[in-house]
Amino acid sequence: MTINPDIIRFVKPLFLGITFYFIATFTVRTIKLAISKNSDEKNNTSISNVISMIMYGFFATLFLHLNGFKVTSLLSVFGVMGVAIGIASQTSLSNIIAGLFLMMDQSFKVGDVVQVEGLSGTIKSMDLLSVKLRTVDNHLIRINNDSIFRNTVKNITYFDKRRLNIIIKISITENMEKVSAVLSNTLKKFPQIMETPEPTIHISDLDLASNTAFYSISVWASKKEFSKLDIQFRKEILAQCIANGV
């Protein structure tokens, strides 16, 4: 039985089109799944859109080429357009590339408190062009991804626990055992303070010219409790020092 050549000419590109579509879809989903394990939901959307456009564009071009279409001139046009766009929007492209690396690197995410370029705040959003921070005085700061990528970023809330360091100045004539006892008793009033790592109290420096001893207090707390503990603990230390005549 001879198959009509017209049917073959119709079925072949249809078969290739369906096959390439499923291959492209499978590839995109696989890459998205790999990225989703190392990125939050908001970042996934931006990365996924870029990946989808690249992969579907690649397979569409391959499909046209295998079906006899001359894509050389088409690719040349896209190449020229790409160069022109690249020159015109060099900054945006560098931000996009840096944004992709930052999102996959996962050194910080939305909700983290960071310090970068002398600025600090909570990350409110991340996209392919910039990172937006909200400062403690409720200002919005936009920083280009390329700038963040080229600078050191300090993620204050990356780990589950944080160390609170407090330095207090007390007269060198005060009894050291009394001062240590007052500070130790103050520690016991705060269940938020972790037992491990163990809290420490010690004299970190002396200023004989002003007869001053610098007592260093270091405690650990969960990052959820840290801000509240920082305020309350300092307040209680001051109250106990005054109450005990230190």
Side-chain angles (χ1 to χ4, degrees):
M1 180 179 178
T2 304
I3 301 176
N4 191 324
D6 293 333
I7 296 178
I8 296 177
R9 284 195 295 269
F10 173 76
V11 172
K12 181 182 177 181
L14 179 63
F15 175 76
L16 286 175
I18 295 174
T19 302
F20 282 157
Y21 172 78
F22 280 110
I23 292 175
T25 302
F26 175 77
T27 305
V28 169
R29 288 182 178 177
T30 302
I31 297 175
K32 285 182 180 180
L33 181 62
I35 293 175
S36 65
K37 295 179 180 179
N38 299 303
S39 181
D40 57 55
E41 185 176 352
K42 292 184 178 180
N43 293 343
N44 287 342
T45 303
S46 298
I47 300 176
S48 297
N49 290 338
V50 174
I51 291 174
S52 297
M53 288 188 292
I54 294 174
M55 294 307 301
Y56 283 118
F58 170 76
F59 280 104
T61 304
L62 182 60
F63 170 76
L64 291 173
H65 174 70
L66 292 177
N67 281 281
F69 291 91
K70 294 183 179 180
V71 297
T72 306
S73 56
L74 182 62
L75 293 176
S76 300
V77 172
F78 282 129
V80 173
M81 289 176 60
V83 172
I85 294 173
I87 295 175
S89 57
Q90 195 171 27
T91 302
S92 296
L93 288 175
S94 63
N95 284 328
I96 291 173
I97 295 172
L100 288 171
F101 279 112
L102 290 174
M103 290 176 182
M104 290 187 288
D105 181 59
Q106 285 296 285
S107 295
F108 50 82
K109 62 182 183 301
V110 174
D112 285 348
V113 179
V114 299
Q115 292 180 352
V116 57
E117 296 183 341
L119 303 169
S120 62
T122 303
I123 298 178
K124 298 304 297 179
S125 67
M126 297 173 58
D127 54 45
L128 289 175
L129 293 177
S130 65
V131 172
K132 296 180 178 65
L133 305 180
R134 186 180 70 184
T135 65
V136 291
D137 49 358
N138 212 33
H139 292 169
L140 180 68
I141 299 176
R142 179 186 181 278
I143 307 177
N144 289 338
N145 286 335
D146 182 57
S147 182
I148 293 178
F149 190 73
R150 290 184 287 102
N151 283 277
T152 300
V153 179
K154 181 179 180 180
N155 190 337
I156 299 173
T157 56
Y158 184 84
F159 297 104
D160 292 332
K161 57 186 178 183
R162 295 179 59 187
R163 186 175 70 178
L164 173 61
N165 298 313
I166 299 176
I167 303 292
I168 58 174
K169 297 188 294 184
I170 295 178
S171 173
I172 204 170
T173 58
E174 289 288 347
N175 185 287
M176 290 189 295
E177 293 184 359
K178 178 183 178 181
V179 174
S180 297
V182 170
L183 297 177
S184 296
N185 290 333
T186 305
L187 290 175
K188 297 176 182 178
K189 295 184 177 183
F190 293 89
Q192 307 99 306
I193 295 177
M194 295 179 173
E195 295 182 0
T196 305
E198 185 178 359
T200 61
I201 300 173
H202 65 276
I203 297 176
S204 59
D205 198 6
L206 292 172
D207 185 355
L208 299 179
S210 60
N211 291 327
T212 301
F214 295 83
Y215 284 79
S216 176
I217 308 168
S218 297
V219 299
W220 289 85
S222 68
K223 65 180 181 181
K224 293 182 179 179
E225 300 281 352
F226 185 86
S227 296
K228 186 177 180 180
L229 175 65
D230 188 11
I231 297 172
Q232 294 180 342
F233 190 41
R234 293 176 188 274
K235 188 176 180 180
E236 186 63 24
I237 289 174
L238 178 60
Q240 290 301 317
C241 286
I242 294 175
N244 288 275
V246 175

